[in-house]
Amino acid sequence: MDTVKPTTGHPKGLYSLFFTEMWERFSYYGMRALLTIFLTAELATGGFGLDRAESLKIYGVFTALVYLTPILGGWFADKVLGQRKSILIGGLVMAIGQFMLAASAAPDLLGDIEARKHFFYLGLGVLILGNGFFKPNISTIVGDLYDNDDPRKDGAFTIFYMGINIGAFLSPFVAGTLGEKVGWPYGYFAAGIGMLIGVLWFYARRNTLEDKGLPPGYKEKGIAHLLPKDWRDVMLYVIANVAFVFLVMMIWNNTSDAVHSVMVWVLGIAGALFIGSSIFKGTSGSTEWTRVFVILILAFFNIVFWAGFEQAGGTFNLFAQENTNRVVGGFEIPTTWFQNINPIAIVTLAPLFSILWVKLSARKLNPRTPVKFALAMFIGALAFFIMTQANNSAQGGNLVSPLWLVVVYVLLTMGELMLSPIGLSMVTKLSPGKITSIMMGVWMASFALGNYFAATLEQILQTYNFDLYPFITWLMLASGVSLLLLSPLLNKFMKGIH
């Protein structure tokens, strides 16, 4: 008798991936919450004593590269390794990176400040590469657990998304508090332990994944688990990742600024040419070309939004530390705890937004994608207008209420929910079938540029005597208006895709 495919409940593999991702996000957001305040902390407290601009630049380069390496990691998984090996490699590499950060934050261990900085940058580089192997591949396995027409698939990604935000919520409480209140190394060490727990959980629960995520060709041969040679590959790739970062840093430290500029330009141009040629080869006919044009236009506006949103881990983090009255009822709120507002708001608001789009769609009032992007920009502009008032109130050394930051974070989360999931869905719908992965890479690159501008914008604007928060307010407002004016044309170019 044929078995009926279940339409209720979820496979055990989903919960294996849920907790793996939860611990990985615990690790990442714990480190992210500490990064700028650790870099600017005085040498006497174990920090690096960097100025505001330099610490924000490091934060910006790191968060930008975190969005670019998944393009490479996804390619390796598809062509060579399979998703399972990639996740194990990425998780172990990231744990090593976190432990390197912990060591760099311990003056008694390394002593010399230059040695500590070298080890710190090595740790960040290792984290960036590890993230590239881990991040794109765990979501792929979640999708592979279900057929495309399985009604449970959307619900599965909602459950998985909750895991991300639970990890992001817990980490500032644990890693953030340990780093700020006990000692910087303890915060990074806790993040590393969290990542190791995620890897061990993934390994222990590997049988729940059935034949999903195995290396190319295994399924056809009837192989349903990793072989001894695969475990050797995992260890070799882990060593190779760390060695590669060490080699790049050695070359970087022993070459001039002119050589650095050439290296960056060569890599940038090569990447752009690869993406450009892939788009030209994989796109044909006016319908596909106009849809690709829509993705590129919306990717530009995506950069603008994230240049504002990612102030969260940069200037907002420093504002919470330096300009906010964090004492409530005799208790001082740790700076890192403000990073919890976004995941709390997402968990609270995401179901409401899902219901809202369904209700509006039933009444034929659901806004098209460009209009949703415009609304996200207007909400972002309001958030930065409020942040401007908070910053003005903090002039002269005044400490302002923490409610300013709470309101701003919640508003930006509302904008995120109107733009981020909508954007990912839009790319999968509009991309020509042959280049969906490449177009997703373009979309990730827009996040990377947004993150980089988020960190460097303040320093750039100071040259022209512009204040950061009013500038972003007007930029988002102008972007929202532009999107509304462009929306009839973009809707036409989407050729029937909503």
Side-chain angles (χ1 to χ4, degrees):
M1 188 174 78
D2 291 333
T3 55
V4 178
K5 183 182 290 186
T7 54
T8 57
H10 289 278
K12 290 179 181 176
L14 175 64
Y15 300 100
S16 303
L17 299 169
F18 172 99
F19 284 107
T20 304
E21 177 71 356
M22 185 192 85
W23 282 112
E24 187 275 330
R25 290 290 88 183
F26 172 92
S27 174
Y28 175 78
Y29 280 102
M31 177 279 306
R32 180 178 175 269
L34 291 170
L35 192 58
T36 49
I37 58 174
F38 164 70
L39 290 171
T40 56
E42 295 175 3
L43 291 173
T45 66
F48 284 172
L50 302 183
D51 65 29
R52 182 185 177 97
E54 194 174 357
S55 70
L56 288 172
K57 186 175 182 182
I58 291 167
Y59 173 81
V61 171
F62 172 74
T63 51
L65 289 174
V66 155
Y67 278 106
L68 288 180
T69 52
I71 302 169
L72 189 65
W75 183 89
F76 264 97
D78 287 344
K79 305 291 185 185
V80 184
L81 296 167
Q83 285 77 29
R84 278 199 217 185
K85 283 164 71 174
S86 297
I87 290 165
L88 289 165
I89 292 162
L92 290 170
V93 169
M94 283 192 287
I96 291 168
Q98 297 286 17
F99 293 137
M100 285 178 168
L101 297 188
S104 75
D108 295 339
L109 195 63
L110 292 174
D112 175 55
I113 184 66
E114 290 307 316
R116 288 176 58 210
K117 283 185 180 179
H118 182 80
F119 217 63
F120 180 82
Y121 295 136
L122 185 62
L124 285 185
V126 169
L127 273 172
I128 289 163
L129 269 195
N131 178 81
F133 277 89
F134 187 100
K135 194 65 185 158
N137 294 309
I138 192 160
S139 301
T140 301
I141 300 184
V142 173
D144 287 347
L145 289 171
Y146 304 86
D147 293 332
N148 279 334
D149 59 352
D150 192 322
R152 300 172 299 164
K153 194 167 188 173
D154 286 350
F157 273 100
T158 303
I159 292 168
F160 184 69
Y161 197 59
M162 296 292 271
I164 292 172
N165 286 286
I166 291 168
F169 169 73
L170 291 174
S171 59
F173 282 131
V174 181
T177 305
L178 283 171
E180 258 190 286
K181 300 299 182 184
V182 181
W184 302 115
Y186 296 99
Y188 291 125
F189 189 78
I193 293 294
M195 190 64 255
L196 275 185
I197 292 171
V199 171
L200 289 171
W201 172 264
F202 184 75
Y203 172 76
R205 301 276 296 176
R206 62 194 183 280
N207 291 335
T208 63
L209 302 177
E210 300 165 357
D211 61 354
K212 306 299 186 290
L214 291 168
Y218 274 36
K219 194 173 180 180
E220 291 77 7
K221 295 174 186 173
I223 303 170
H225 53 83
L226 295 181
L227 303 174
K229 72 179 182 67
D230 294 316
W231 297 104
R232 287 196 298 274
D233 285 350
V234 167
M235 297 318 299
L236 285 171
Y237 269 85
V238 169
I239 294 165
N241 270 278
V242 177
F244 177 76
V245 176
F246 185 81
L247 181 66
V248 169
M249 280 194 63
M250 196 166 69
I251 294 169
W252 191 269
N253 290 334
N254 290 289
T255 48
S256 66
D257 287 345
V259 175
H260 298 169
S261 296
V262 171
M263 286 168 66
V264 170
W265 276 103
V266 167
L267 285 172
I269 292 169
L273 287 173
F274 170 73
I275 289 171
S277 65
S278 299
I279 291 172
F280 273 101
K281 287 176 186 174
T283 309
S284 59
S286 62
T287 297
E288 286 190 353
W289 273 111
T290 53
R291 286 175 176 172
V292 166
F293 178 75
V294 172
I295 294 174
L296 296 176
I297 292 295
L298 292 180
F300 171 79
F301 287 104
N302 197 48
I303 295 169
V304 173
F305 182 82
W306 290 97
F309 183 91
E310 279 298 328
Q311 300 299 324
T315 61
F316 287 3
N317 215 12
L318 296 174
F319 187 88
Q321 185 182 42
E322 298 164 4
N323 305 109
T324 302
N325 181 7
R326 293 182 283 115
V327 178
V328 178
F331 172 73
E332 185 179 48
I333 305 167
T335 304
T336 50
W337 285 19
F338 285 90
Q339 300 295 310
N340 286 319
I341 300 167
N342 174 251
I344 292 170
I346 283 179
V347 171
T348 307
L349 296 173
L352 300 179
F353 271 81
S354 295
I355 294 166
L356 175 66
W357 302 138
V358 172
K359 295 276 188 189
L360 288 174
S361 190
R363 297 182 181 184
K364 301 196 182 324
L365 295 173
N366 193 13
R368 297 287 292 266
T369 297
V371 175
K372 286 178 181 172
F373 270 54
L375 292 171
M377 293 295 178
F378 290 137
I379 293 170
L382 175 61
F384 277 94
F385 173 76
I386 292 169
M387 197 63 208
T388 302
Q389 310 314 308
N391 197 45
N392 291 341
S393 300
Q395 297 301 314
N398 295 326
L399 294 179
V400 302
S401 167
L403 289 176
W404 287 103
L405 276 174
V406 172
V407 170
V408 169
Y409 274 120
V410 171
L411 283 171
L412 285 173
T413 301
M414 291 172 68
E416 177 190 4
L417 288 168
M418 286 199 165
L419 182 141
S420 188
I422 307 300
L424 289 170
S425 175
M426 176 270 302
V427 172
T428 60
K429 290 175 185 174
L430 293 179
S431 298
K434 294 177 185 175
I435 57 165
T436 303
S437 295
I438 291 293
M439 295 313 297
M440 193 58 78
V442 171
W443 193 247
M444 289 294 114
S446 72
F447 281 98
L449 280 170
N451 274 266
Y452 181 72
F453 283 127
T456 55
L457 203 51
E458 184 177 68
Q459 192 176 10
I460 294 167
L461 292 174
Q462 282 174 354
T463 310
Y464 303 99
N465 292 318
F466 284 126
D467 291 327
L468 177 66
Y469 298 143
F471 178 84
I472 296 177
T473 303
W474 286 107
L475 181 64
M476 285 199 167
L477 194 60
S479 297
V481 171
S482 300
L483 275 164
L484 284 182
L485 294 174
L486 283 170
S487 62
L489 180 66
L490 294 176
N491 291 338
K492 183 181 175 183
F493 280 1
M494 288 165 80
K495 305 288 186 184
I497 300 291
H498 196 283

